[in-house]
Amino acid sequence: MIKKIDARGQACPKPVIMTKKELDNLIEGVITTIVDNEVAKENVSKLASSMGLEFDVEQTKEDEYLINIKKGAISVKEADAPLEVPSKETIAIGSNKMGSGEEELGKILMKSFIFTVKETSPQPANILFYNSGVYLTCEDSPVIDDLKALAENGVEILSCGTCLDYYNLKDKLAVGGISNMYTIYEKMKESNTINIG
């Protein structure tokens, strides 16, 4: 079985996520991912390598690469593997953008990060939002659909009540619940916490 994924024109990390989804559904066969830039080629190749799968890369045009990933006996073992242990990770987001450089770039990166969290597994147990991060859980947020999908999957979404009050956003909260600093601290203390902001 050969499955082709056309990821040309897709921004990072979509080529990786598209490939990962197909690999997760494949028991045995070959997946060929078509990409149109070096970064995507490297990222998809790293995915195959990290999963212990054989792969090769063909350059068919100046800006076109085919990554052929073979899945065989290894996948059979994976199919019989025990179910994943529920995540104990917490993601704490303290800003509506990612990093400290250009604001527009930071917002693009944050959108990409939330999308990646939604599309990968295991998903975190909690996502906590504080300071300007609470803008992400309110109406007109560019990531609201992804956060709602995470909440439907059982991820607890909590926003700092003091922060919502400060920014006059409490009436605009669109996903998850309102929390306080004690609960935020307890959630962070009880789990492996990834801080983003």
Side-chain angles (χ1 to χ4, degrees):
M1 174 184 178
I2 298 177
K3 172 83 176 180
K4 286 194 175 181
I5 302 169
D6 188 351
R8 289 173 289 187
Q10 299 293 329
C12 172
K14 284 189 177 176
V16 171
I17 290 170
M18 292 166 71
T19 305
K20 177 72 164 54
K21 279 187 172 179
E22 292 297 335
L23 285 169
D24 287 345
N25 292 328
L26 181 70
I27 300 298
E28 189 169 12
V30 176
I31 284 180
T32 297
T33 302
I34 309 168
V35 297
D36 57 6
N37 63 81
E38 281 268 350
V39 173
K41 180 198 75 174
E42 292 299 322
N43 287 338
V44 174
S45 297
K46 286 177 184 174
L47 169 70
S49 181
S50 70
M51 296 178 72
L53 302 176
E54 290 182 30
F55 70 96
D56 60 67
V57 179
E58 299 173 45
Q59 184 170 6
T60 51
K61 296 178 185 175
E62 184 179 352
D63 58 351
E64 184 176 282
Y65 303 90
L66 275 60
I67 304 106
N68 304 303
I69 305 172
K70 301 169 189 171
K71 192 171 182 185
I74 293 173
S75 67
V76 175
K77 291 179 182 176
E78 287 179 346
D80 293 336
L83 295 174
E84 291 177 342
V85 176
S87 170
K88 291 186 177 180
E89 287 190 339
T90 290
I91 297 176
I93 297 179
S95 174
N96 60 340
K97 58 187 175 65
M98 191 172 189
S100 57
E102 290 289 331
E103 183 171 345
E104 185 177 349
L105 174 60
K107 289 180 178 179
I108 291 171
L109 294 177
M110 182 61 79
K111 187 175 181 180
S112 178
F113 176 78
I114 297 291
F115 174 78
T116 301
V117 172
K118 186 197 76 172
E119 294 294 328
T120 55
S121 63
Q123 292 178 336
N126 316 284
I127 306 180
L128 312 175
F129 295 87
Y130 60 95
N131 210 317
S132 64
V134 298
Y135 277 98
L136 298 171
T137 59
C138 292
E139 296 172 4
D140 301 324
S141 162
V143 298
I144 201 67
D145 289 340
D146 288 339
L147 291 178
K148 286 181 177 177
L150 285 162
E152 288 173 1
N153 288 343
V155 177
E156 188 176 28
I157 309 287
L158 293 174
S159 296
C160 164
T162 301
C163 308
L164 288 167
D165 281 338
Y166 183 86
Y167 292 114
N168 294 316
L169 290 171
K170 191 168 279 184
D171 292 338
K172 295 183 178 180
L173 185 67
V175 63
I178 297 173
S179 189
N180 55 70
M181 196 51 67
Y182 174 80
T183 300
I184 289 173
Y185 171 67
E186 287 293 312
K187 297 283 186 188
M188 295 173 75
K189 187 177 69 173
E190 292 169 356
S191 59
N192 300 320
T193 300
I194 300 170
N195 288 288
I196 302 294

